[in-house]
Each structure stands twice: as C-alpha cells, then as structure tokens.
Amino acid sequence: MIEFLISMGVVALAEIGDKTQLLALVLAARFRKTWPIVLGILCATVVNHGLAGAVGTLAAWLIDAGVLRWLLGLSFLAMAVWVLVPDRIDGEEADAVTRHGVFVTTFVSFFLAEMGDKTQIATVALAAQYKAPLLVVAGTTLGMLIADVPAVFVGGKLGEKLPLKVIRIVAALLFAVLGVATLFVATTG
C-alpha cells in the first residue's frame, strides 16, 4: 500500500503546474465539456503510465539490483531538479482541435504530452523501485487525476491561486528524499 500512496503523492505534487495540467485548463476553457475531458485524461494516463510501469518492471528484472538502485537513486535526484523547472504548454498542444471530439482530442493530447514527461519517468522509476507495477500505476494515475481534474472543473482561475513555486519545492524535496534513501540502500546493501 505504501507503493500506491508514495506514487500518488509524488505525482500529484509533481503535476501541479505541469504542462498536462495546463493542457487540462486549455481544454476545459475551449470545449467546456467536463466529463469527456476527465475521461480522456483518465484513459490516456492509464495507458501511458501502464506502459511506463511495464518498462520499470522490465528494468527491475533485467538490470542487476545494485546497479538498478544506483540508477534509481540518481534518477530520483534528477527528478528533484527537473520538477523545479516550470512547465509551459506548447502552442501546438494548446491548439489541439480535431474533428474527432473532445474525448479523443483529450486522450491523444494527454497521451502525447506525457511521453517523456517527468510523471511518466517517475512512474518508470517507482515501478522499478517497488516492483509493484499495478499499485504504482494506480497511484500515479490517481495522482494525475488529483492534480488535473480540479483544473478541468475550476478552469483558468485555479492557476492564479496556487503557490506553484512552493508546490514545486515540496515535490522536489520528495524526489530528493526518495533519491537519497535509494542511494543509501545502494551503498549499505
């Protein structure tokens, strides 16, 4: 259960101010159809993070445990630094209008926006760390929803009221603690 809770908390914090949260705001403002957007976010996240969880599990299986701990520790520390960098939404992502409807637009936009994003990489690392991909993917998916669904409901006003800098610092500290703890285990066995 700790795998689920840590995965949820880390991703929920890391997602605040992330480009996918900004994408949720843009889609909500543009389409004004809450539930298809929420469903699109959920489905895209399950697929994307499910793949990331599988990659993390495969890495844990293929890579020597000692080497994997070092790689994970260093990746968590890199995530701590990366989460401090504010995200911006690209113009192309903001202009994602298609003939296929709100759900498909949201699904495709979110899936592509998450490719290589810090929450996807965190999912890979967490799945490799805990070797519990279902709990990790469930946690990271819920973390995404915790951060992105309010953005859909509240729209543009949400971004004005959250102290994004403080939230980024807290998320960075969580990643740093995970990194240091993992490296400590790697050095002490």
Side-chain angles (χ1 to χ4, degrees):
M1 188 64 165
I2 192 75
E3 301 91 345
F4 172 81
L5 295 173
I6 288 175
S7 298
M8 179 190 64
V10 164
V11 168
L13 284 172
E15 187 63 17
I16 302 294
D18 189 75
K19 68 183 170 192
T20 48
Q21 188 181 49
L22 298 173
L23 181 59
L25 290 167
V26 168
L27 291 169
R30 173 164 292 152
F31 294 118
R32 293 177 176 36
K33 293 188 179 187
T34 305
W35 292 110
I37 294 170
V38 170
L39 187 59
I41 293 169
L42 171 64
C43 292
T45 303
V46 167
V47 172
N48 192 292
H49 288 200
L51 293 170
V55 168
T57 301
L58 183 62
W61 185 65
L62 292 175
I63 300 171
D64 174 69
V67 172
L68 184 62
R69 280 191 199 102
W70 278 98
L71 290 173
L72 291 173
L74 294 173
S75 71
F76 283 132
L77 291 176
M79 292 296 297
V81 173
W82 190 5
V83 80
L84 291 172
V85 178
D87 254 333
R88 292 187 325 243
I89 191 165
D90 297 327
E92 292 175 16
E93 291 170 341
D95 294 329
V97 178
T98 81
R99 296 177 213 116
H100 304 293
V102 177
F103 170 79
V104 172
T105 299
T106 303
F107 179 87
V108 171
S109 298
F110 263 78
F111 184 82
L112 294 175
E114 273 297 292
M115 294 304 291
D117 193 54
K118 60 185 157 259
T119 50
Q120 184 191 43
I121 294 170
T123 303
V124 170
L126 290 162
Q129 166 102 8
Y130 292 118
K131 298 178 183 88
L134 293 178
L135 288 173
V136 168
V137 170
T140 60
T141 299
L142 184 58
M144 283 284 286
L145 294 175
I146 287 170
D148 291 341
V149 169
V152 173
F153 281 100
V154 178
K157 294 181 182 183
L158 181 67
E160 298 170 6
K161 297 189 181 196
L162 289 176
L164 297 180
K165 185 175 183 178
V166 172
I167 292 169
R168 278 191 206 96
I169 290 169
V170 171
L173 288 172
L174 283 173
F175 278 118
V177 166
L178 285 171
V180 169
T182 303
L183 289 174
F184 178 75
V185 169
T187 58
T188 61

